[in-house]
Amino acid sequence: MRAKSVQIALAISVFVACSARLSHADDDPSFHLDPHHVATVAALNEAVALLPKSSKSLVSAAESEMFKTIAAGDAKSIRETDAILTVANVLSDKARKRYADKLDKITDAARQAVKGAKTDKEKADLLVKWLFKNALHGGYETRQDEMPVLLDTGKFNCVTSAILFHAIATRLGLHTRCATI
């Protein structure tokens, strides 16, 4: 079993990196992450190398490849659904399809819920209200930070609900950005 802190760190890192590069790529082609920060993939490779052999499975091969793609400046080639499921350690094709289908169904229903919105702010407000009544129906649980659990039960925390909102909002044409505080 993976350490939850590793999963959360990976989720936040992937979404901040992808979101930063994707959100600004069209607005400002010269945008880049702070050049004084260590590249995420370099830091990840260093950290994994320091782990005891029995702990190296905390970072999957799929996650490592995803970070290499981001570090190479090709974040646009990573589908957001693939990033969500990879970081959530959903690696089998059958499970990936099942959760990708769930995300598609949430998106389709959310699209109907916000179709009357006249502005992006109104669309975002309607989306939040709809998500809490539907996809996030299971309620808040402090330590529930796994996307598969959210998609299966509707139980969420601040990390999983933010990831879901960002993913669905992006699919609905809203320009959102992930941030860490």
Side-chain angles (χ1 to χ4, degrees):
M1 178 179 248
R2 296 160 44 112
K4 288 205 182 275
S5 58
V6 170
Q7 184 176 1
I8 292 169
L10 287 169
I12 291 170
S13 297
V14 167
F15 283 102
V16 169
C18 286
S19 179
R21 291 185 191 276
L22 294 175
S23 297
H24 293 288
D26 296 330
D27 303 338
D28 180 3
S30 66
F31 175 81
H32 54 81
L33 297 177
D34 185 339
H36 301 292
H37 289 152
V38 174
T40 307
V41 73
L44 181 66
N45 286 336
E46 290 290 325
V48 171
L50 296 173
L51 291 171
K53 289 187 190 288
S54 63
S55 299
K56 289 189 180 181
S57 64
L58 290 175
V59 179
S60 72
E63 288 165 330
S64 184
E65 286 304 311
M66 186 170 50
F67 275 100
K68 288 177 184 172
T69 301
I70 292 167
D74 194 20
K76 284 189 175 187
S77 72
I78 300 171
R79 290 183 41 231
E80 191 161 57
T81 299
D82 291 334
I84 291 168
L85 298 178
T86 299
V87 171
N89 207 32
V90 177
L91 302 176
S92 80
D93 289 341
K94 182 178 179 181
R96 289 177 80 83
K97 178 165 178 18
R98 184 166 68 92
Y99 288 116
D101 289 348
K102 284 186 177 202
L103 286 167
D104 289 344
K105 285 179 184 174
I106 291 169
T107 303
D108 292 343
R111 185 172 282 111
Q112 291 302 311
V114 303
K115 71 179 175 184
K118 293 182 180 15
T119 66
D120 284 350
K121 182 183 180 331
E122 189 179 349
K123 186 186 278 188
D125 289 343
L126 288 171
L127 176 59
V128 167
K129 289 175 185 171
W130 183 87
L131 285 172
F132 277 109
K133 287 181 184 174
N134 295 279
L136 303 173
H137 63 87
Y140 182 87
E141 287 190 8
T142 303
R143 300 200 186 275
Q144 197 313 85
D145 52 21
E146 298 197 27
M147 287 304 293
V149 174
L150 181 153
L151 295 170
D152 288 337
T153 69
K155 294 179 181 183
F156 64 94
N157 74 356
C158 55
V159 174
T160 53
S161 61
I163 290 169
L164 183 67
F165 176 82
H166 175 74
I168 303 304
T170 300
R171 290 174 173 203
L172 298 179
L174 293 170
H175 297 285
T176 64
R177 293 189 178 122
C178 294
T180 58
I181 298 174

